[in-house]
Amino acid sequence: LQESMHAYAANVYTSVVEELMKEKQRKFIAVEQEFFRLWWDTVATDTHKQQVHQLLQEGRLEFVIGGQVMHDEAVTLIDDQILQLSEGHGFLYETFGVRPQFSWHVDPFGASATTPTLFALAGFNAHLISRIDYDLKADMQKNKKLQFVWQGSPSLSERQEIFTHVMDQYSYCTPSQLPFSNRSGFYWNGIPTFPDPPKDGIYPDMSLPVTDANLHLYAKTMVANIEERAAWFRTSDVLWPWGCDKQFFNASVQYSNMDLLLDYINKHSDEFGVTLQYATVGDYFKAVYSSVILTCIGSVQLLTEPFQAWTGFYTSRSTLKGIARRASSLLYAGESFFTQYVQTHPSGSVCKCKALKQLQSLRWAVSEVQHHDGITGTEAPKVKDMYLNNLIYGMFNVKKLMASIIFDMNNAQKNGEVYSSVYTKDSGIPDIDQYIVVYNPLAWNITTFVTISVSSLEMSVYDELGHPVPAQVQSSVESQSTYDLYILVAINGLSYRKYSVKPLPGKQAAFIARSVKYKRRDTTRADQQSHQLFPVVNSCYQVLFDQNTNLMHSITERETNQTVQVTQEFLEYHVNGNTTKGPISDNYLFAPNASAVPVSKAVGLEVVSGNLLTEIRQYFYSNITSQEYRYAVYTRMYKVPEGYDGKLLCHRIEQQYSVGPLEFNREAVLRTSTNLNTKQVLYTDNNGYQMQKRPFKAYVNNTVARNYYPMVQTAYIEDDTTRLMLLAERAHGVSSQGNGQVEVMLHRRLWNNLQWNLDNDLTLNDSSVVHPVIWLILGTKAATNTLYRTSGLALEHRPVVMFGALSGDKPKVPRQQQNSVHSSSVTLPPNLHLSTLSIPGWRYSSDHAEQVHSIHMGKQKQGDADFSRVLLRIRHLYEVGEDPVLSQPVVVDLKSLLKGLGSVMVVQERSLTGTWDVNTLKRWKWKTAQHPGKGFFNSTKASENYTVTVHPKEIRTFFVYFQSQ
């Protein structure tokens, strides 16, 4: 980041602002806030800042999108997209009183149907994209259909549709070929050099300057390209993008050449048949709004080409994808934990300003990694390391904050316990009496297991009242010297429980699991006809394993007694890295040579079983004599004791994998094959928001890779009666390469000799071992419908575990009242998700006129953040008609919902990112064949008495103010 700021990014804003001030007709659009905020905070002078305010008021500088970054659309979660958008929008509104109304989503590798919904809810009037399926773009171009109204969600009314403009085949960069010169054109500042700008100001590849001698030739070249593009659109206004990646770092030379061209063409407009003007995206869309009639469409395809599919990045850098999601989940927990603390402990000793800075460090890190060259894994190793370092630093801060809040709240309760420390050690526990604090960040009551490492087999666990808690100890997969202690926890929504963990034997001690190791089996020689089956059973499933192969054989769903044959195997796609031998796989692309090859000829098996769970450990070896296993699967099934709500826990088969290190140019997949007649149709989620049907398509070239899709959170296959669902805690590529099959790409390790990749250090030599987790759910469509949304979020937002030590000689068993721990619980019905409960700290006024006035008068609020404003978002998880009960609208009484935090005094409904009062938000309504009249969409709003009706797939955003204590 700092290197980019030094090499070019800071110069973009400094030189553009200075050049815009010189000539009134010049304009510029700025997109990502991360670089702009760094410039604003560390480089911009007071004069620059005054000039930015003036340029924004005059409409000559325009912020489009306005998020921290231009986020990826394939492998990001909707809640993380909303976070990064809100981060940027909050800064822009607080600093300038501006609210972006147009997108410029030109560089993400493919387009998701979630994005139009997201931008519509944020108040945008139009959406602009570029990278979509090449065949689709060619067809749209030919038929003048590059502009349309996009209905991203089948459940939301037309209020959430948005006008969408697809860039033509030239995409978002100016074409640089000049027919009259072998030098490039239109990029007069050249390309930036790293790590330092050249001392003499002469950059590589500076375009041929405009002179009297070539002015007419330049103008003819430019006009010819404009006319070619005009033929692909229905309006007389043509958007001609001027610039590209890392451009305008020397805006003086850019604008001086551009001015000459524009002036010349306009003076000879009769000859050329066009007039030109500098414009922002907003200027262009305003011109189009008054003239065009459009068609409506429901979905746009992802990015593929005939010989290469941009489907590799769904899996690239799996470790980064996993840590980005863990960080997002910890931030989600930290935000609600801090919000409750501020409301319920107004005089607590934790410094609120410092706490907000700790949260902001993780907000920034989670926001920036959503970049389309971030979580995608399409960055150089040193950039990946920057993302990881920022995420880990932010996570450390938030864990520290949560621990200090626990410490303060428990000491404040003065209940006879003295805490010597609260710490957030991730594993390994000293042999002393200590306690764990387990926080449930979801607004549902949950029953689940948390796992901690202990150094002894004989352990006892007690709750706040001194009652024993069901627990199981077993040998650890990770370590020879420690054991895994599984503790059954039942925790109300947004609440925490405390458990003391003691190295005590006795009849109330944790159950000690027993382990049986089976002989390693040669799977190539196994008798296919005879099966020696043994069952692993809980209340929901019976899973059969075959002792001849040590592989899974079938799963029976016990309620319906439906049995599905299920086998799992690891395979690897061998891919090419040599450009002289054909298409290559790289960080972006997946180009397999042939079908995937099985990696293992022998499987070892260990079954660890106890009263609460059974873990089946399968080890996959290259052959029967190999010393080291190459892959492993750890499958867990839970048995829930009476008195606990075990519905979700019982209905999931948890799997954790160990994959790697891989050999070069191998892409590892887990293929699950069933006897379901799926007709090779796969369903995958768009950004954890909605499901999309993905029928298998045959292509002339590259059929395997072009049938890969992103699974951000969910994928499933089904026949007429039965569905097999997969839930993931990080993004993967997923495909159905055969009837009844679903395969998940878990890891990639590549090398290639493409010069561009070598120059940018994009070879994906990822030698790591990855440990992704997938939960399987099998059942009828109706049964899985009621389970998978809550289960997916339970996997995403697992409880946060913190550790502490008890000081004193013999600490008393805490006799705390049970209800005090749950006093601020927040609980929603299972079809609603509390997607945000936070204190953003924004200092802007909720009244737009007041906010604009205070900025105009130079009175932006400085000093302390606003801790009184609570940001609340509620999302309906179901589509219209998906489930007879869960798809119904839900009435929520916000005052009652939040009563544990205090007395709600004021609720204001806002746009998705918080910057608009929904009562004043009027989005453009575009003329379509279905709706020939234009106009404005008005938003729905909460009623006066704190109740709100949330309809299917809606995301509702509120500012909530509580009575001050």
Side-chain angles (χ1 to χ4, degrees):
L1 206 62
Q2 295 306 330
E3 192 177 290
S4 293
M5 282 294 285
H6 175 66
Y8 76 94
N11 291 339
V12 170
Y13 291 111
T14 301
S15 68
V16 163
V17 168
E18 290 168 358
E19 288 305 308
L20 291 177
M21 294 306 293
K22 290 177 185 173
E23 296 288 347
K24 279 282 186 204
Q25 80 274 18
R26 294 172 173 176
K27 297 194 176 186
F28 192 78
I29 60 166
V31 183
E32 297 176 311
Q33 289 310 299
E34 177 138 334
F35 281 126
F36 180 81
R37 288 174 76 171
L38 284 170
W39 175 79
W40 185 260
D41 290 339
T42 62
V43 178
T45 64
D46 287 345
T47 303
H48 287 139
K49 291 183 176 184
Q50 280 174 301
Q51 289 170 339
V52 169
H53 279 283
Q54 182 186 331
L55 291 165
L56 286 166
Q57 276 181 340
E58 293 173 2
R60 298 199 294 118
L61 174 64
E62 179 175 75
F63 288 111
V64 291
I65 307 181
Q68 278 292 96
V69 295
M70 188 190 296
H71 66 256
D72 168 67
E73 297 192 39
V75 298
T76 48
L77 272 180
I78 187 167
D79 286 345
D80 295 333
Q81 297 176 356
I82 294 168
L83 169 76
Q84 76 84 18
L85 209 54
S86 302
E87 271 293 285
H89 285 192
F91 163 76
L92 288 175
Y93 194 52
E94 184 172 272
T95 313
F96 307 112
V98 299
R99 302 176 286 199
Q101 292 178 45
F102 307 101
S103 95
W104 179 259
H105 238 232
V106 292
D107 210 17
F109 322 127
S112 161
T114 307
T115 314
T117 302
L118 183 82
F119 287 158
L121 290 169
F124 286 19
N125 286 315
H127 176 40
L128 189 148
I129 61 178
S130 181
R131 295 179 183 270
I132 60 169
D133 184 84
Y134 285 71
D135 295 338
L136 177 64
K137 183 180 277 198
D139 184 64
M140 292 169 118
Q141 209 166 270
K142 191 174 95 185
N143 296 304
K144 294 193 177 186
K145 289 188 173 175
L146 289 164
Q147 293 176 327
F148 52 87
V149 170
W150 195 348
Q151 297 170 325
S153 164
S155 294
L156 293 171
S157 66
E158 63 197 50
R159 279 198 326 277
Q160 267 76 51
E161 63 189 27
I162 194 166
F163 170 76
T164 304
H165 171 106
V166 183
M167 299 299 259
D168 56 50
Q169 68 188 43
Y170 291 106
S171 193
Y172 62 92
C173 295
T174 320
S176 60
Q177 295 80 16
L178 295 178
F180 56 88
S181 170
N182 57 7
R183 281 180 69 180
S184 73
F186 304 105
Y187 295 99
W188 296 283
N189 55 197
I191 57 173
T193 59
F194 288 80
D196 298 305
K199 297 271 189 291
D200 58 3
I202 305 297
Y203 285 84
D205 295 342
M206 291 174 82
S207 288
L208 185 70
V210 176
T211 61
D212 288 347
N214 64 24
L215 182 54
H216 185 75
L217 295 169
Y218 247 122
K220 272 176 65 178
T221 304
M222 184 172 177
V223 169
N225 186 258
I226 291 168
E227 287 177 338
E228 184 184 8
R229 292 174 130 157
W232 300 325
F233 292 92
R234 297 180 182 195
T235 66
S236 58
D237 298 287
V238 178
L239 186 153
W240 205 75
W242 211 325
C244 196
D245 299 354
K246 304 183 181 76
Q247 281 295 309
F248 283 87
F249 53 85
N250 183 354
S252 168
V253 67
Q254 275 296 116
Y255 277 114
S256 57
N257 281 278
M258 289 158 73
D259 288 349
L260 291 170
L261 261 173
L262 261 68
D263 290 347
Y264 181 80
I265 291 170
N266 288 338
K267 278 186 184 135
H268 300 84
S269 60
D270 290 349
E271 176 191 342
F272 288 117
V274 302
T275 56
L276 303 181
Q277 68 176 70
Y278 286 114
T280 63
V281 176
D283 293 335
Y284 171 71
F285 282 135
K286 282 171 193 140
V288 172
Y289 181 53
S290 59
S291 63
V292 68
I293 295 181
L294 302 151
T295 50
C296 291
I297 72 163
S299 68
V300 173
Q301 286 165 292
L302 297 152
L303 185 58
T304 62
E305 298 176 42
F307 294 100
Q308 51 187 34
W310 291 60
T311 57
F313 76 93
Y314 304 157
T315 306
S316 296
R317 300 206 192 286
S318 177
T319 301
L320 174 64
K321 285 174 164 65
I323 290 176
R325 289 273 282 272
R326 293 273 56 77
S328 163
S329 177
L330 180 66
L331 176 63
Y332 173 77
E335 295 280 16
S336 63
F337 203 57
F338 176 63
T339 303
Q340 292 180 88
Y341 174 74
V342 169
Q343 296 307 324
T344 57
H345 293 75
S347 53
S349 67
V350 173
C351 170
K352 290 190 292 199
C353 291
K354 181 185 173 191
L356 193 59
K357 283 196 170 69
Q358 289 171 310
L359 287 165
Q360 282 168 337
S361 70
L362 191 51
R363 287 177 193 168
W364 185 288
V366 172
S367 293
E368 75 176 4
V369 80
Q370 307 310 317
H371 188 278
H372 58 274
D373 279 316
I375 196 168
T376 49
T378 54
E379 65 284 278
K382 66 179 176 185
V383 182
K384 176 259 299 178
D385 292 341
M386 175 202 77
Y387 285 127
L388 284 174
N389 290 338
N390 291 352
L391 288 165
I392 289 162
Y393 172 71
M395 290 168 82
F396 172 77
N397 281 333
V398 171
K399 285 178 178 177
K400 214 158 69 171
L401 168 61
M402 293 180 77
S404 61
I405 288 173
I406 291 279
F407 188 66
D408 184 60
M409 288 202 296
N410 283 287
N411 280 342
Q413 284 172 351
K414 302 281 187 290
N415 52 13
E417 291 170 82
V418 183
Y419 295 99
S420 60
S421 64
V422 177
Y423 51 96
T424 57
K425 217 156 94 180
D426 286 323
S427 63
I429 289 193
D431 274 336
I432 53 169
D433 285 1
Q434 33 124 51
Y435 64 94
I436 61 166
V437 175
V438 184
Y439 177 61
N440 168 23
L442 290 165
W444 301 313
N445 301 342
I446 62 154
T447 301
T448 191
F449 280 91
V450 296
T451 315
I452 61 174
S453 289
V454 292
S455 50
S456 158
L457 264 178
E458 296 187 321
M459 302 299 293
S460 298
V461 183
Y462 300 95
D463 67 12
E464 301 92 339
L465 297 171
H467 297 143
V469 173
Q472 179 171 315
V473 180
Q474 59 191 48
S475 63
S476 170
V477 168
E478 302 290 316
S479 154
Q480 301 298 310
S481 58
T482 61
Y483 302 93
D484 291 338
L485 175 63
Y486 286 80
I487 303 169
L488 183 63
V489 298
I491 312 177
N492 287 6
L494 266 59
S495 301
Y496 71 90
R497 298 280 307 267
K498 259 184 352 209
Y499 302 90
S500 51
V501 179
K502 301 164 187 279
L504 283 180
K507 60 176 201 285
Q508 294 182 334
F511 187 86
I512 298 171
R514 62 193 173 276
S515 166
V516 179
K517 285 188 176 154
Y518 291 81
K519 192 177 152 194
R520 194 188 299 185
R521 295 294 185 178
D522 184 336
T523 52
T524 59
R525 295 209 176 154
D527 182 350
Q528 298 303 313
Q529 303 312 310
S530 77
H531 299 289
Q532 271 189 289
L533 305 176
F534 72 88
V536 178
V537 185
N538 69 7
S539 310
C540 299
Y541 299 114
Q542 171 179 278
V543 181
L544 293 180
F545 287 83
D546 185 350
Q547 275 176 268
N548 284 347
T549 60
N550 288 338
L551 294 173
M552 191 184 286
H553 173 270
S554 63
I555 303 173
T556 302
E557 201 280 312
R558 294 184 63 189
E559 195 178 341
T560 58
N561 210 25
Q562 176 84 19
T563 298
V564 177
Q565 307 291 319
V566 180
T567 58
Q568 292 185 307
E569 63 175 336
F570 289 105
L571 304 101
E572 287 175 356
Y573 286 101
H574 294 205
V575 296
N576 171 45
N578 186 342
T579 52
T580 63
K581 293 186 177 171
I584 58 156
S585 268
D586 65 6
N587 300 52
Y588 307 88
L589 308 173
F590 173 39
N593 291 341
S595 301
V597 179
V599 294
S600 148
K601 293 180 178 171
V603 181
L605 181 71
E606 180 183 5
V607 179
V608 182
S609 53
N611 287 8
L612 298 176
L613 72 136
T614 300
E615 183 172 74
I616 300 97
R617 301 173 179 175
Q618 292 164 290
Y619 301 96
F620 293 75
Y621 297 86
S622 296
N623 56 56
I624 198 78
T625 58
S626 303
Q627 293 296 303
E628 301 287 324
Y629 64 85
R630 298 187 54 197
Y631 291 80
V633 185
Y634 310 108
T635 303
R636 288 182 280 274
M637 290 170 60
Y638 297 103
K639 300 168 196 165
V640 186
E642 277 187 25
Y644 287 86
D645 173 14
K647 186 181 170 190
L648 289 188
L649 196 51
C650 168
H651 273 100
R652 66 181 182 241
I653 299 170
E654 289 187 9
Q655 291 197 318
Q656 182 170 6
Y657 312 102
S658 174
V659 181
L662 301 178
E663 294 173 30
F664 275 113
N665 290 330
R666 299 287 186 269
E667 317 215 13
V669 301
L670 175 78
R671 182 176 291 166
T672 302
S673 302
T674 71
N675 62 343
L676 298 175
N677 181 20
T678 62
K679 303 183 174 64
Q680 234 173 318
V681 175
L682 174 70
Y683 296 81
T684 68
D685 68 316
N686 285 325
N687 314 101
Y689 177 66
Q690 57 195 8
M691 299 303 296
Q692 193 156 333
K693 187 177 181 178
R694 310 286 196 185
F696 188 89
K697 293 178 185 161
Y699 296 96
V700 177
N701 297 298
N702 217 3
T703 292
V704 169
R706 291 182 79 172
N707 279 285
Y708 256 79
Y709 297 95
M711 166 170 76
V712 181
Q713 205 168 42
T714 312
Y716 65 81
I717 54 173
E718 63 183 19
D719 64 10
D720 295 340
T721 59
T722 307
R723 182 182 286 168
L724 175 68
M725 305 212 69
L726 284 68
L727 303 173
E729 40 71 82
R730 70 187 73 182
H732 301 280
V734 63
S735 185
S736 179
Q737 295 287 337
N739 188 28
Q741 286 182 1
V742 57
E743 70 183 39
V744 181
M745 189 178 287
L746 299 174
H747 201 11
R748 320 177 72 214
R749 185 181 185 187
L750 307 170
W751 180 89
N752 68 79
N753 61 2
L754 184 69
Q755 197 57 49
W756 191 86
N757 284 339
L758 294 173
D759 292 345
N760 292 281
D761 199 9
L762 287 175
T763 52
L764 201 65
N765 179 11
D766 184 347
S767 58
S768 63
V769 179
V770 297
H771 301 282
V773 173
I774 288 178
W775 291 358
L776 307 178
I777 298 176
L778 180 76
T780 62
K781 293 179 188 182
T784 55
N785 255 347
T786 63
L787 293 166
Y788 83 95
R789 303 224 181 241
T790 38
S791 295
L793 285 157
L795 173 57
E796 188 64 33
H797 297 298
R798 287 166 281 186
V800 177
V801 179
M802 288 163 284
F803 301 92
L806 295 166
S807 68
D809 301 332
K810 285 260 170 111
K812 300 193 285 288
V813 172
R815 294 284 166 195
Q816 202 171 314
Q817 286 309 302
Q818 192 93 5
N819 59 6
S820 68
V821 179
H822 301 313
S823 60
S824 61
S825 76
V826 175
T827 311
L828 282 168
N831 50 356
L832 295 188
H833 170 49
L834 185 81
S835 57
T836 310
L837 181 68
S838 72
I839 294 176
W842 298 318
R843 294 187 293 262
Y844 59 70
S845 167
S846 298
D847 181 295
H848 182 62
E850 190 180 291
Q851 174 64 7
V852 170
H853 180 71
S854 68
I855 287 169
H856 194 58
M857 302 303 287
K859 293 181 186 164
Q860 294 103 303
K861 293 180 188 164
Q862 298 302 323
D864 283 354
D866 180 354
F867 290 97
S868 67
R869 175 190 287 146
V870 171
L871 176 66
L872 170 74
R873 283 194 194 93
I874 295 174
R875 166 156 61 102
H876 198 302
L877 296 172
Y878 283 80
E879 299 281 2
V880 168
E882 187 179 358
D883 184 272
V885 176
L886 296 169
S887 291
Q888 296 303 315
V890 185
V891 178
V892 181
D893 181 336
L894 297 177
K895 204 174 174 88
S896 168
L897 176 72
L898 300 171
K899 65 180 186 293
L901 278 73
S903 179
V904 173
M905 299 305 288
V906 179
V907 173
Q908 300 168 343
E909 181 152 14
R910 307 292 292 186
S911 61
L912 185 69
T913 60
T915 54
W916 291 87
D917 175 342
V918 293
N919 298 314
T920 62
L921 176 56
K922 287 184 164 51
R923 289 178 55 246
W924 297 353
K925 189 175 185 177
W926 293 75
K927 281 190 287 196
T928 63
Q930 295 94 316
H931 304 284
K934 2 193 258 277
F936 297 99
F937 290 121
N938 291 325
S939 297
T940 56
K941 56 178 191 273
S943 64
E944 296 304 303
N945 60 355
Y946 306 110
T947 62
V948 53
T949 303
V950 187
H951 293 271
K953 297 318 287 183
E954 277 191 334
I955 306 171
R956 303 289 285 275
T957 304
F958 306 93
F959 288 164
V960 181
Y961 297 87
F962 292 86
Q963 186 173 355
S964 58
Q965 303 188 17

